[in-house]
Amino acid sequence: MPRRSKQGERETIRATLVELLLNFKKELETPNLRAKVQALVPAYHLLRDLGSSLIPREDAASARDRILFYLRKYPRFVIEGDELMVVSGIGEWARRVRELRVQFGWWIYSGVTVADMVEDARITGNHAELASLKSCLSIDPSKIKPDQYVLMRAEQDREAAHRWNVLNEIRKKKVSVSDRIIEYFRRSVGQEITGEELKYLAKDKKEWARRVRELRTEQGWPIVTKNSGRDDLAVGVYLLEEDRQAYEHDRSIPDPVRVEVLHRDAFKCTKCGWHRGMLSPEDPRKMLELHHKQHHKDRGGNTADNLVTLCNVHHDEQHRRTLRLG
């Protein structure tokens, strides 16, 4: 069984380590390779002991606790994997990071996930998404490396453990990436979902971000993000507002136009004044949607002048009236 690091008095560990390394000069002069390696083993263990002792035991006793303590001390900072290895004092630190994410609900994003988000934003020309990522990270997101990590939110998501059980169930299904993603969203209506969850659901394929975008813009699922009209959401978070698809001719509205119209209408239904702050279980009004004053079939465009904000109830009413008139 691998040796675990031992927390202790830091100066004592440091002094012992220095003495071992000074004595190692004699070993370098010998031809015996194995003797050199064996002489370094205690130094290797002491280095891990020193790293794990940087965080007092009363603050974090276990390797997993030390990793979390370190990440929470620097939220939204891009942290090197090697840093987590040092403070954890163990070789299997990456598994502990996954446990924190999956079992305990901490929003820890890997560099791979951030890179996928950056690439999709570039492909679509979504400058707002890139700007949001830049504003919330300590470095340019386009320069992030796979073995770097970011704690995106300092609070624990206590529902995450349950969602990861659902994720594993859906992930095993032999269906397309889009089908897995939309099933997960539909089983998590109104819940905030992280990019890490969606990447895992896509079996780590880079296409996950594109599939989410297609579900929103081509299939009309009301999947919202910070940059599609929900300023209250954190960067890198997705949420399905309601288990329903938008009317076909309302599906291809570009996000910048959508946000412009919502801001213009003060994020309220122009018919009844409903807004998200009025949400209640008894009220059928659950979300805001954009309605075309002049439909596509009548040559109406996806422009701010041709769009108006309605709650889902008045949007449905408007379409029923249109159908009756037709």
Side-chain angles (χ1 to χ4, degrees):
M1 183 176 178
R3 175 190 180 276
R4 294 288 181 178
S5 62
K6 299 177 181 179
Q7 290 180 295
E9 207 285 314
R10 287 172 286 185
E11 177 55 28
T12 301
I13 298 172
R14 185 201 66 82
T16 306
L17 177 60
V18 169
E19 183 180 357
L20 277 170
L21 291 175
L22 288 173
N23 291 336
F24 188 70
K25 181 178 180 181
K26 299 175 183 177
E27 300 294 339
L28 285 175
E29 297 170 353
T30 69
N32 190 327
L33 174 60
R34 191 173 183 204
K36 293 187 182 75
V37 172
Q38 290 176 328
L40 276 179
V41 169
Y44 175 71
H45 290 324
L46 282 169
L47 187 59
R48 290 170 63 169
D49 293 345
L50 183 57
S52 65
S53 299
L54 294 176
I55 299 173
R57 175 174 288 276
E58 56 268 25
D59 291 330
S62 70
R64 185 173 60 216
D65 291 342
R66 290 192 293 273
I67 290 172
L68 179 58
F69 181 93
Y70 193 69
L71 289 170
R72 293 189 73 187
K73 192 171 181 63
Y74 304 102
R76 295 193 175 184
F77 275 75
V78 176
I79 304 296
E80 300 286 345
D82 287 345
E83 294 177 67
L84 302 180
M85 176 182 67
V86 168
V87 297
S88 71
I90 62 173
E92 53 188 21
W93 59 270
R95 183 191 298 181
R96 298 294 178 261
V97 172
R98 184 179 183 278
E99 289 171 355
L100 287 167
R101 181 192 299 135
V102 176
Q103 297 176 22
F104 297 92
W106 293 99
W107 288 8
I108 303 170
Y109 277 38
S110 69
V112 175
T113 299
V114 175
D116 289 346
M117 294 166 62
V118 169
E119 182 178 356
D120 186 69
R122 280 181 168 171
I123 290 172
T124 59
N126 192 337
H127 302 298
E129 184 75 21
L130 287 172
S132 291
L133 284 169
K134 286 182 178 179
S135 69
C136 79
L137 298 180
S138 58
I139 67 169
D140 184 339
S142 65
K143 297 179 181 178
I144 198 165
K145 300 174 184 176
D147 57 347
Q148 293 176 323
Y149 297 84
V150 183
L151 181 64
M152 298 293 283
R153 190 169 78 173
E155 299 81 21
Q156 186 178 13
D157 180 354
R158 298 187 181 278
E159 298 295 324
H162 168 70
R163 292 207 309 275
W164 279 90
N165 288 331
V166 176
L167 268 174
N168 280 312
E169 175 192 333
I170 298 174
R171 192 174 190 261
K172 296 173 184 176
K173 295 187 176 183
K174 295 182 179 180
V175 295
S176 69
V177 171
S178 292
D179 287 343
R180 290 198 294 272
I181 289 175
I182 193 56
E183 179 178 348
Y184 183 55
F185 270 117
R186 296 182 73 184
R187 291 175 64 172
S188 311
V189 175
Q191 296 183 39
E192 296 181 358
I193 292 172
T194 68
E196 281 292 336
E197 293 171 73
L198 299 175
K199 180 172 74 71
Y200 178 77
L201 194 61
K203 298 184 178 179
D204 296 326
K205 293 180 180 178
K206 295 178 67 174
E207 63 182 285
W208 68 268
R210 175 160 55 95
R211 297 301 178 218
V212 174
R213 172 168 43 84
E214 290 170 352
L215 286 167
R216 181 176 74 248
T217 59
E218 297 178 15
Q219 298 187 36
W221 291 100
I223 300 170
V224 292
T225 65
K226 185 177 184 65
N227 296 302
S228 65
R230 282 289 298 271
D231 284 342
D232 57 307
L233 295 178
V235 176
V237 171
Y238 304 80
L239 182 145
L240 179 66
E241 290 190 301
E242 192 77 5
D243 189 7
R244 57 179 263 162
Q245 288 177 274
Y247 294 100
E248 189 170 350
H249 62 270
D250 293 333
R251 294 180 183 178
S252 55
I253 302 169
D255 283 342
V257 175
R258 183 182 303 278
V259 174
E260 179 185 352
V261 174
L262 288 168
H263 275 284
R264 182 199 66 201
D265 296 337
F267 289 88
K268 295 180 180 180
C269 174
T270 54
K271 289 285 186 182
C272 65
W274 183 88
H275 55 85
R276 284 193 49 78
M278 299 166 64
L279 267 174
S280 70
E282 303 80 21
D283 194 333
R285 296 171 294 182
K286 302 296 182 186
M287 56 189 288
L288 295 172
E289 299 176 328
L290 299 192
H291 174 67
H292 286 84
K293 300 175 186 176
Q294 183 176 345
H295 293 177
H296 280 305
K297 63 183 179 65
D298 301 322
R299 297 186 178 180
N302 288 322
T303 62
D305 290 341
N306 191 44
L307 291 164
V308 63
T309 304
L310 297 175
C311 66
N312 56 289
V313 171
H314 280 104
H315 197 192
D316 287 344
E317 182 182 301
Q318 186 69 39
H319 277 276
R320 285 195 297 271
R321 183 182 299 124
T322 301
L323 288 172
R324 286 198 298 270
L325 292 174

